[in-house]
Amino acid sequence: MKSIFLTAAALFSTLSLAAPVSATTEKINPVQHLLETRECYGCDLTNANLQGAHLIGVDLRKANLQGANLEEANLEGADLTGANLRSADLTGAFANGTTFDNANLTNADLSDANLYNAQVDSAVMIGTDISGADGFDINLGIGGEE
């Protein structure tokens, strides 16, 4: 009887230790992760709604933001190097000092965006709408690979 009790106690203590480990392996919402940590290197934010979000200085290098809504978002000082922004809506975005180097901006909407001191070297900008955008001192070198 004692051995059955000890075996049961050992089994339950092992299970109680395993439960917290499995809880940490739950999939974290990438939008929530971005807003909490200010970084989301290489993460998948496809079709994410970040309208009006304060993303000052965030690390979004190589992130997939295809179809994301970044309308009126504050991206000041954000790093979007190598990010996929295909068909993303950045209408009216505040992108001062933002880095878009090697980003895919194909069919992205940057109309009415504020792009002072933006870095856009080797970005793909096929069909990108920049009508009404305001910019100064932009490092622009279009022509990356799609």
Side-chain angles (χ1 to χ4, degrees):
M1 182 74 165
K2 245 185 186 180
S3 65
I4 292 174
F5 176 74
L6 290 174
T7 303
L11 178 64
F12 287 126
S13 66
T14 303
L15 291 176
S16 66
L17 291 174
V21 173
S22 63
T24 59
T25 60
E26 288 180 23
K27 188 170 183 176
I28 297 172
N29 177 334
V31 173
Q32 181 181 355
H33 175 76
L34 171 64
L35 296 175
E36 289 175 2
T37 67
R38 319 291 302 153
E39 60 184 44
C40 208
Y41 178 89
C43 66
D44 187 4
L45 293 163
T46 304
N47 298 318
N49 185 4
L50 294 163
Q51 182 176 2
H54 292 277
L55 303 173
I56 300 167
V58 298
D59 181 0
L60 286 166
R61 291 172 295 148
K62 297 192 179 197
N64 185 0
L65 290 148
Q66 183 168 341
N69 181 359
L70 292 155
E71 186 177 353
E72 301 289 330
N74 187 340
L75 294 162
E76 184 174 13
D79 191 350
L80 288 119
T81 301
N84 179 10
L85 291 150
R86 177 186 280 271
S87 301
D89 185 358
L90 290 107
T91 304
F94 188 78
N96 289 355
T98 303
T99 302
F100 293 101
D101 291 344
N102 299 304
N104 184 350
L105 292 160
T106 301
N107 296 322
D109 188 350
L110 285 151
S111 59
D112 300 318
N114 189 325
L115 300 164
Y116 289 98
N117 265 341
Q119 302 295 312
V120 193
D121 191 30
S122 297
V124 178
M125 296 185 73
I126 300 168
T128 303
D129 183 359
I130 56 171
S131 60
D134 195 17
F136 178 78
D137 199 19
I138 298 171
N139 180 15
L140 184 63
I142 302 171
E145 294 180 28
E146 182 176 21

